[in-house]
Amino acid sequence: MSYTSTRENRTPAERLGEIGGSSRFVRACLRQPVDRTPVWFLRQAGRYMPEYMTVRQHHSLLDICRTPDIAAEVTITAAERLDVDAAIIFADLLLPFTPMGVDFEFLAGEGPVVHKPIRTLDQVVALRTDRVDELSYVARAIEKVAVHFSSPRPPEGPNGNPDQLGIIGFCGAPFTLASYMIEGGSSRNYIETKRLMYASGTPSRFGLTTEPGALSSRGLIAKVEYKGCGIEPEGSTISTTSSPDSKAWPLLMEKLVTVLTGYAQQQVEAGADVIQIFDSWAGALSVTDYTEFCLAPTTELVRRIQAMGVPVIYFGVDTASLLPTMRKTGADVIGLDWRVPLDTGWRSLGCTCAVQGNLDPITLFAPSEVLKSRVDEILRSAAGRSGHIFNLGHGIVPGTPVENVIDVVRWVKEFKLS
Ligand code: CP3
């Protein structure tokens, strides 16, 4: 597959050198020094923005995602209106379900609905992993965004540098995507998801093998291998259990990692500078369950995307207690939600990676002086260390005043540590 982007055909090293060099957002992802803290927002293109609502009057959410011209326009409009340092491609977490053979739709007021939730081994076996090419409309939208933002922006002041706006591609994490597939939509308790996870038994049924060479400087590398799933490695440590569904969770994880790798590859080839992995609902897991059932496939996905030559941002909500374990994925940047003070969260990651966050999105409804004090608090607690990207702790919600979002961008740009 080939894409004609101005940013393609670079080796991984060239990508990091070139792009990290000229984009303060990518430099911060790599913990390189920057002239000021970069800023962008989760869900920066969405229903709070009148420009987006105008487009939505004529097109469904899925039409926007699947039409590269419109997806690119929505992406670009939001980034330019807010004057942020990165543009996240307009798409949705659930798009890979379609080529996998899982039908879903977005119902007004209800969010995503999967009509036949995946609950058995037979259903997991039937999931397709060979049609990732059908998602190439997202890559085509990224190409258009990359062409639009191909020229550097002028320096912001006498001490500033010219800046290349960062382009963010994204995908869901295996756990969060599996939760939508299994529950059939959003969930409060994740009962069916955890039931399938637990059916795979303990100790972990992932063949988390640490063969010679499987540990790298990036940290743990999980080799995901499954008994009875067509991949039966010699010397596998996986035990058999009585339930036929014991194989369902590991096979689902493997299939998701395969599809998400191909999908991320298309986005990187099209010009994405960074890939964000959304594990929005990881906070529903105990540290033990996350470690047993989700760490290995997520680590494998992170490792495969990094091998494409781009940094990875790994984001979840309500993750304060999971942060040290999420760090083991080797992601370059960890997204923090607002419940943990930024410096506490960063410390619990060992200060060995970059962090993104972490303003409460609902603070955007507060009076100016309250909002500004919260923005300043976050910037002060980052204390000028390399590797902070200002963002929210979760996505902008409908009804958020756009002017307040723009004010935050200005304050981040003007901030000086005193
Ligand atoms: O600028 C951007 O960030 C927008 C692009 C974007 C969308 N979805 C478009 C969208 C992104 C990054 C996503 C990711 C996504 N999708 C996540 C992870 C992010 C997070 O918030 O944790 C999740 C969990 C989904 C699944 C999803 N899509 C849900 C649960 C919903 C309904 C939620 C709601 O607010 O109604 C969606 C719909 C959706 N995806 C909207 C947008 C702009 C809003 C609905 C619309 O425009 O009709």
Side-chain angles (χ1 to χ4, degrees):
M1 192 176 320
S2 104
Y3 298 102
T4 49
S5 141
T6 52
R7 301 181 186 211
E8 73 174 342
N9 296 336
R10 289 167 308 193
T11 64
E14 280 167 348
R15 275 184 168 278
L16 294 184
E18 281 170 31
I19 295 298
S22 57
S23 163
R24 66 171 70 83
F25 164 69
V26 181
R27 289 179 66 84
C29 291
L30 298 168
R31 294 199 299 151
Q32 295 172 0
V34 285
D35 54 353
R36 64 158 172 81
T37 305
V39 52
W40 70 281
F41 299 94
L42 297 167
R43 291 274 172 111
Q44 64 192 23
R47 284 170 298 179
Y48 76 105
M49 198 174 257
E51 291 87 340
Y52 175 73
M53 289 315 288
T54 304
V55 176
R56 272 292 270 123
Q57 276 168 11
H58 307 286
H59 306 278
S60 71
L61 173 63
L62 287 176
D63 283 347
I64 298 174
C65 294
R66 290 173 180 156
T67 313
D69 278 332
I70 307 179
E73 181 204 314
V74 167
T75 305
I76 293 164
T77 303
E80 291 186 339
R81 173 91 198 267
L82 302 177
D83 202 11
V84 284
D85 297 304
I88 183 162
I89 190 63
F90 192 89
D92 195 81
L93 226 52
L94 271 43
L95 298 176
F97 284 11
T98 307
M100 294 184 80
V102 177
D103 286 335
F104 71 96
E105 62 181 318
F106 287 101
L107 295 182
E110 252 188 81
V113 176
V114 173
H115 295 298
K116 285 198 193 118
I118 304 297
R119 306 249 167 110
T120 66
L121 178 61
D122 285 350
Q123 285 177 294
V124 175
V125 168
L127 293 173
R128 301 275 300 260
T129 57
D130 57 340
R131 299 194 300 202
V132 186
D133 282 5
E134 291 176 17
L135 293 169
S136 63
Y137 53 83
V138 174
R140 289 203 306 278
I142 290 178
E143 283 169 8
K144 290 175 187 292
V145 175
V147 167
H148 182 88
F149 288 121
S150 58
S151 317
R153 304 184 293 171
E156 284 171 7
N159 301 323
N161 301 319
D163 183 68
Q164 187 80 49
L165 189 125
I167 298 175
I168 307 171
F170 75 88
C171 64
F175 169 76
T176 291
L177 280 183
S179 81
Y180 281 105
M181 266 192 194
I182 297 168
E183 302 295 335
S186 304
S187 178
R188 176 179 288 264
N189 292 319
Y190 302 92
I191 295 172
E192 297 303 332
T193 309
K194 291 186 180 183
R195 199 202 294 277
L196 208 69
M197 248 170 48
Y198 295 138
S200 58
T202 187
S204 173
R205 288 186 53 80
F206 297 108
L208 182 62
T209 58
T210 47
E211 341 175 286
L215 286 173
S216 79
S217 55
R218 289 253 188 221
L220 177 68
I221 287 187
K223 189 156 182 276
V224 188
E225 294 168 336
Y226 309 97
K227 195 154 184 121
C229 305
I231 313 169
E232 301 210 15
E234 248 180 87
S236 165
T237 53
I238 305 168
S239 62
T240 44
T241 71
S242 49
S243 158
D245 284 346
S246 63
K247 293 170 187 147
W249 180 264
L251 182 59
L252 177 56
M253 293 293 100
E254 182 197 22
K255 288 191 165 192
L256 283 167
V257 169
T258 301
V259 168
L260 296 170
T261 302
Y263 181 40
Q265 179 83 53
Q266 293 173 353
Q267 297 186 53
V268 171
E269 285 172 6
D273 300 310
V274 172
I275 297 288
Q276 172 147 331
I277 300 176
F278 283 94
D279 211 350
S280 306
W281 314 134
L285 294 166
S286 70
V287 173
T288 303
D289 287 346
Y290 178 86
T291 306
E292 283 266 322
F293 301 110
C294 303
L295 177 58
T298 310
T299 302
E300 180 62 16
L301 180 61
V302 169
R303 187 188 65 78
R304 290 189 194 179
I305 296 173
Q306 286 171 334
M308 299 167 199
V310 295
V312 170
I313 304 173
Y314 180 41
F315 166 80
V317 182
D318 219 346
T319 54
S321 59
L322 283 179
L323 290 173
T325 322
M326 290 171 72
R327 176 73 193 105
K328 293 183 185 170
T329 60
D332 301 87
V333 186
I334 300 285
L336 302 174
D337 75 80
W338 67 94
R339 295 173 183 87
V340 63
L342 185 113
D343 48 350
T344 312
W346 210 344
R347 250 182 281 121
S348 79
L349 293 163
C351 293
T352 54
C353 59
V355 290
Q356 178 172 280
N358 69 342
L359 183 72
D360 179 348
I362 308 307
T363 313
L364 290 165
F365 291 84
S368 234
E369 64 279 12
V370 176
L371 179 55
K372 182 162 192 312
S373 78
R374 297 298 184 273
V375 170
D376 286 350
E377 183 190 5
I378 289 168
L379 290 164
R380 271 197 309 273
S381 64
R385 279 187 293 262
S386 295
H388 175 225
I389 299 144
F390 191 96
N391 205 313
L392 305 175
H394 202 178
I396 301 182
V397 304
T400 299
V402 179
E403 321 78 71
N404 292 2
V405 185
I406 292 170
D407 281 344
V408 170
V409 175
R410 187 164 41 83
W411 294 329
V412 173
K413 291 181 179 177
E414 289 168 0
F415 181 81
K416 296 272 173 295
L417 258 187
S418 47

